[in-house]
Amino acid sequence: MTRQDRDHDTDTDTGKDTGKDTGKDTGKAGSVGTGSGQAYDAAPYLPDRGGLAALRRAAADCHGCPLYENATRTVFGSGPASARVVLVGEQPGDQEDRQGEPFVGPAGHMLRKALEEAGLDVAEAYLTNAVKHFKFTSAGPGKRRIHKAPSLREMTACRPWLTAELHVVGPEVVVALGATAGKALFGPAFRVTKDRGALIPLSPPGPGGRGGGAGGSPAGGPTADGFPAGREDTVYGLATIHPSAVLRADDRAAVYAGLVSDLRVAADALRTGPGSRRGR
């Protein structure tokens, strides 16, 4: 991979898990401004009703944080509403921002290859990101747009979109790709390096085997995790590295093998879980 390809790598996750978030953006040319006086919350932009199409239309006008100011467009999730598995990345990259679809750049191609090898059909998966706008800085000749990791504040502001997607799709397994996605799903203290490759209940069964989720929810509404209350089976989360980590690795073959191994855990869970025995 050339230096230019590395600079344009998509959905990059730094792999650094400092747990720190200054909440500051430089405001330099090509980067995100401070958004002075702006509330960081996408919730007011969510539609009152509707499925994925309604969410996608509403997200196109989201100004829930300052990231929209410099991004070309909102990059919403893509895939069938009946998907049994949802894969969550960090944020759109340069190519995603230009094309308006998630995982269409080098990291996306790597992910699709790994999914196929793990036995997961990408056409039957829902792909999305924890943050829906491309955050970047501009540097060098031609002002290349270089990925900049979203802050915890920006990720939290965008969380209502991910929650709504999970509620509509109602998957059995949610795969977090990288540190940012892991924090979005499991909380800010989560460390991918510590718990990757393990199935973690996201919506523990309540009385009578029904999913109660964290904090419960009104009847028929989503739980705090985003999943519909009253579903019969537990929803599992699984964390692994972001596919961009494979592109940056010195020992690419070994890192890629680890990604495929983690994804096979998700594939096995789908083959043996409740959804394997019921119609969708």
Side-chain angles (χ1 to χ4, degrees):
M1 184 172 61
T2 66
R3 173 65 180 273
Q4 184 174 8
D5 290 333
R6 293 174 68 91
D7 287 339
H8 285 269
D9 187 16
T10 63
D11 288 341
T12 306
D13 193 301
T14 63
K16 296 179 180 178
D17 242 349
T18 63
K20 298 179 180 179
D21 176 26
T22 65
K24 296 179 180 179
D25 287 303
T26 63
K28 294 179 181 179
S31 66
V32 177
T34 59
S36 177
Q38 178 174 352
Y40 280 67
D41 185 11
Y45 297 90
L46 269 68
D48 293 332
R49 61 181 63 86
L52 291 176
L55 289 172
R56 178 183 283 268
R57 287 193 298 270
D61 295 321
C62 183
H63 295 174
C65 80
L67 292 184
Y68 79 93
E69 295 174 359
N70 293 301
T72 304
R73 56 176 60 83
T74 303
V75 181
F76 204 67
S78 177
S82 60
R84 295 175 61 200
V85 60
V86 170
L87 295 110
V88 183
E90 180 192 82
Q91 66 166 346
D94 180 77
Q95 290 302 312
E96 286 78 8
D97 178 70
R98 296 178 191 279
Q99 299 183 40
E101 293 293 329
F103 292 98
V104 293
H109 295 310
M110 182 65 68
L111 176 62
R112 284 167 166 78
K113 178 184 175 183
L115 288 171
E116 181 179 3
E117 192 166 332
L120 291 167
D121 187 350
V122 69
E124 297 179 359
Y126 186 82
L127 306 179
T128 191
N129 284 293
V131 174
K132 310 302 186 191
H133 286 108
F134 179 33
K135 182 177 181 179
F136 62 93
T137 58
S138 297
K143 294 292 184 181
R144 292 192 306 272
R145 302 194 305 174
I146 302 172
H147 162 277
K148 183 178 181 181
S151 69
L152 178 60
R153 189 181 186 191
E154 291 156 351
M155 181 189 73
T156 303
C158 209
R159 168 75 196 209
W161 292 116
L162 179 59
T163 299
E165 289 174 292
L166 293 175
H167 174 56
V168 171
V169 177
E172 296 166 47
V173 178
V174 186
V175 179
L177 301 167
T180 298
K183 292 177 188 298
L185 285 174
F186 306 114
F190 185 80
R191 298 292 181 266
V192 172
T193 53
K194 179 181 177 183
D195 295 308
R196 63 176 289 188
L199 291 173
I200 303 171
L202 287 178
S203 183
R210 294 185 175 274
S217 73
T223 66
D225 292 313
F227 303 107
R231 64 177 297 157
E232 299 295 337
D233 53 309
T234 300
V235 179
Y236 287 98
L238 180 145
T240 186
I241 59 172
H242 195 281
S244 62
V246 179
L247 299 174
R248 299 192 305 271
D250 293 329
D251 190 352
R252 188 176 294 188
V255 176
Y256 174 76
L259 172 62
V260 172
S261 177
D262 292 340
L263 292 175
R264 281 183 178 143
V265 175
D268 290 343
L270 293 177
R271 279 193 290 270
T272 61
S276 64
R277 299 186 294 273
R278 72 170 188 262
R280 296 277 303 181

